């Protein structure tokens, strides 16, 4: 028993006396965010539409009713959220649309659709190319708003040594 006690004491003393030197490597790295930072809230949204599309609808009474198929895109307090105001004859609806944050101010745009009483609501990318996002159509006295494409943004951080 004594033998085990002496062996354990020697082992513990040897373990306590070991000093290991570890090198701490400190690297001077910097992180750069590649896209600009855009404020999430607008101070004063524009009162006029930032994008608009209008097509007259015949009422067989020399346009006495002033019917139209239209889509107007308005700014909201949130920078990347826009309100779509839709109209077809006497139908009026609204919907919100959230655009992706590409690091620049969003630029909503509307193009004519392939059929009568249709339009494509989207935005311009960094290169100024139109990106379709929603399709608005009016058929059988109904307004229909469909999502035609989904967009997502990834944020990458590169460390420079």
């Amino acid at each position: 028993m004594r033998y085990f006690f002496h062996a354990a004491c020697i082992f513990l003393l040897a373990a306590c006396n070991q000093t290991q030197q570890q090198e701490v490597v400190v690297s001077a790295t910097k992180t750069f965010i590649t896209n600009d930072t855009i404020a999430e809230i607008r101070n004063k949204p524009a009162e006029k539409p930032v994008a608009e599309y209008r097509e007259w609808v015949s009422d067989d009474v020399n346009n006495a009713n002033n019917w139209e198929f239209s889509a107007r895109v308005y700014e909201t307090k949130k920078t990347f959220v826009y309100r779509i105001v839709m109209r077809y004859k006497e139908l009026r609806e609204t919907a919100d649309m959230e655009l992706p944050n590409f690091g620049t101010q969003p630029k909503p745009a509307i193009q004519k659709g392939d059929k009568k009483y249709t339009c494509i609501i989207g935005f311009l990318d960094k290169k100024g190319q139109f990106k379709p996002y929603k399709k608005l159509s009016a058929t059988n006295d109904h307004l229909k708003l469909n999502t035609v494409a989904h967009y997502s943004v990834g944020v990458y951080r590169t460390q420079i040594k």
Side-chain angles (χ1 to χ4, degrees):
M1 180 84 142
R2 252 184 173 177
Y3 174 72
F4 290 113
F5 178 73
H6 287 305
C9 287
I10 292 173
F11 177 73
L12 288 174
L13 288 176
C16 291
N17 286 335
Q18 281 187 349
T19 58
Q20 293 180 354
Q21 293 182 354
Q22 295 179 351
E23 286 186 32
V24 177
V25 178
V26 177
S27 61
T29 60
K30 296 180 182 178
T31 303
F32 294 92
I33 300 174
T34 56
N35 62 348
D36 296 332
T37 304
I38 306 294
E40 294 289 323
I41 303 295
R42 272 191 192 92
N43 292 333
K44 187 176 179 187
E47 293 180 16
K48 293 186 177 183
V50 293
E52 184 174 10
Y53 176 80
R54 183 184 300 175
E55 194 174 330
W56 294 108
V57 177
S58 175
D59 61 1
D60 298 328
V61 195
N62 291 333
N63 288 334
N65 294 318
N66 288 330
W67 283 347
E68 67 179 29
F69 168 75
S70 65
R72 292 176 179 88
V73 179
Y74 292 90
E75 292 180 347
T76 63
K77 282 282 196 183
K78 295 181 181 178
T79 303
F80 297 99
V81 177
Y82 288 84
R83 167 108 354 112
I84 304 169
V85 177
M86 304 163 279
R87 181 177 173 192
Y88 177 66
K89 294 184 179 180
E90 294 300 321
L91 297 172
R92 288 174 175 82
E93 292 292 330
T94 61
D96 287 344
M97 167 180 71
E98 186 170 354
L99 297 180
N101 182 353
F102 286 124
T104 60
Q105 285 291 343
K107 297 175 190 142
I110 304 176
Q111 290 185 347
K112 181 173 175 40
D114 55 350
K115 297 179 182 176
K116 193 171 186 174
Y117 307 135
T118 62
C119 66
I120 307 297
I121 303 167
F123 58 92
L124 302 178
D125 65 2
K126 285 185 177 183
K127 297 178 183 176
Q129 295 179 343
F130 181 76
K131 298 293 182 187
Y133 189 44
K134 304 266 187 189
K135 179 180 181 180
L136 176 64
S137 60
T139 54
N140 299 331
D141 293 336
H142 288 81
L143 279 170
K144 188 173 184 181
L145 184 66
N146 291 336
T147 302
V148 294
H150 294 278
Y151 298 93
S152 62
V153 178
V155 177
Y156 299 95
R157 294 181 182 213
T158 307
Q159 291 185 348
I160 300 175
K161 295 181 182 181

